[in-house]
Amino acid sequence: MRVRTAVFPVAGWGTRFLPATKAVPKELLPVLDRPAIQYAMEEAIAAGIERIVLVTSDGKRAIEDHFDAAPDLEAFLEARGDIERLRVVRAVSDMVNLVTVRQKEQLGLGHAVLMARDAVGHESFAVVLPDDLIVSERPALSELIDAHEETHGSVVAVMEIPREDSIRYGVVEIDPDLPATDGGRTIPLRGLIEKPAPADAPSNLGIVGRYVLTPKIFEKLERTAHGVGNEIQLTDAIQALAAEQPIVGRRFSGRRFDVGSPEGWLAANIDLALDHPHYGGPLRTWLNARLTER
Ligand code: G1P
């Protein structure tokens, strides 16, 4: 069956971005000209996703408002004859069919995904972490969906990370007995471990926030004990699933930014602006002048 549902966990506090995220959900901080989460939403839709399950918490209602109709704003823009902006505003609310589920306690990413169980039903589904913004020609999630269709197993996005960064990622263990396919981009895995110390990292491939999971993951999540950070970790449930079903890592193409951190957010803004038809030229001129000044 086609992958048509994506779960977007958006219940986290955004502590790395305080005080900016005291009253504004981190997912709505703008990257260039739109909220961070909109990039991940556009990627999912371009990959063929038709239903989004938002797993939210208290204080995140503005995310739903962003993807909802805005009759007063639309009437105002229409009366002013600002058709271009009216089109932009309407395109966001027409984008996708949203379902919202509340995560009442912040027990971790695995727990957030478990909250989406009834909304997802008994079918394979995607998980998209909007903190990971991926700039690429082809939606990264499409690559994972293709790998899922080939292997019928679960898929996690992976990229090379510096060894000392292993404490910030889930890290995969490659299965040496099975061949990688798709020119080495789809890699059979033996296991996964959440945020290992560099000495314990089983490879240099870190997990990025795109997954395609079979519904069996929910049974595993129900039985997953608290792990690293005393949280119920999605990585631990996928590790349990690996004993029964194939799991592959997919190296995706494109550049990934962690927009949940100020430095990643800043890099994403600059990266996107450099290629932008309006902002690119002036930004280059200003950057060059500023760098020669130093
Ligand atoms: C989560 C996952 C981790 C993954 C990371 C990617 O961690 O638990 O396995 O590598 O996202 O962004 P978090 O960043 O929420 O701590």
Side-chain angles (χ1 to χ4, degrees):
M1 191 191 253
R2 227 162 47 76
V3 177
R4 57 185 188 129
T5 303
V7 175
F8 276 56
V10 294
W13 284 108
T15 46
R16 288 183 295 168
F17 238 125
L18 282 169
T21 47
K22 190 177 166 207
V24 178
K26 65 173 172 174
E27 295 80 6
L28 291 184
L29 295 179
V31 177
L32 204 59
D33 58 0
R34 61 198 98 150
I37 191 174
Q38 196 174 319
Y39 292 88
M41 202 68 90
E42 287 169 0
E43 178 194 325
I45 292 158
I49 295 297
E50 293 162 2
R51 286 172 76 229
I52 304 280
V53 182
L54 275 185
V55 183
T56 70
S57 60
D58 192 26
K60 296 281 183 159
R61 205 158 292 146
I63 301 176
E64 289 165 72
D65 291 344
H66 178 72
F67 293 102
D68 196 0
D72 290 348
L73 175 62
E74 290 174 26
F76 169 76
L77 292 170
E78 196 158 15
R80 267 201 349 192
D82 195 341
I83 302 307
E84 181 50 28
R85 290 205 174 85
L86 181 63
R87 199 186 56 74
V88 169
V89 166
R90 284 207 176 128
V92 177
S93 55
D94 290 344
M95 202 172 261
V96 77
N97 192 358
L98 272 191
V99 180
T100 305
V101 173
R102 281 287 187 125
Q103 184 186 15
K104 293 181 188 153
E105 295 170 283
Q106 310 288 296
L107 300 181
L109 177 59
H111 179 255
V113 173
L114 183 57
M115 295 298 101
R117 182 182 204 158
D118 290 344
V120 169
H122 199 74
E123 57 186 66
S124 293
F125 64 103
V127 174
V128 174
L129 308 187
D131 271 1
D132 285 325
L133 191 160
I134 301 173
V135 179
S136 66
E137 293 274 305
R138 183 159 180 240
L141 189 58
S142 292
E143 298 194 41
L144 271 74
I145 291 175
D146 285 356
H148 168 71
E149 283 169 359
E150 267 168 49
T151 61
H152 302 288
S154 295
V155 188
V156 298
V158 294
M159 69 174 197
E160 277 176 26
I161 57 165
R163 185 161 277 275
E164 65 273 18
D165 286 355
S166 64
I167 43 164
R168 291 172 36 211
Y169 295 91
V171 178
V172 301
E173 182 183 352
I174 297 168
D175 188 335
D177 300 329
L178 294 171
T181 54
D182 296 318
R185 297 162 65 80
T186 302
I187 306 161
L189 302 182
R190 185 181 271 173
L192 306 87
I193 169 166
E194 182 68 8
K195 303 195 173 84
D200 301 328
S203 75
N204 65 344
L205 293 179
I207 301 173
V208 171
R210 302 290 183 273
Y211 308 77
V212 174
L213 302 170
T214 62
K216 198 157 191 101
I217 194 69
F218 293 121
E219 287 170 31
K220 301 299 173 197
L221 282 168
E222 268 187 331
R223 295 190 195 109
T224 299
H226 293 247
V228 171
N230 201 26
E231 293 187 343
I232 296 173
Q233 297 290 351
L234 180 59
T235 304
D236 294 345
I238 303 173
Q239 161 73 21
L241 192 60
E244 291 170 34
Q245 294 184 349
I247 313 284
V248 295
R250 172 73 192 194
R251 285 177 198 259
F252 54 94
S253 40
R255 300 184 298 285
R256 172 262 186 184
F257 299 94
D258 175 8
V259 294
S261 74
E263 54 276 31
W265 172 87
L266 191 57
N269 273 284
I270 294 171
D271 188 274
L272 288 164
L274 284 172
D275 290 336
H276 193 278
H278 296 306
Y279 309 128
L283 177 64
R284 270 169 218 278
T285 310
W286 177 81
L287 264 180
N288 283 333
R290 195 73 178 72
L291 291 171
T292 37
E293 227 176 77
R294 301 191 144 231

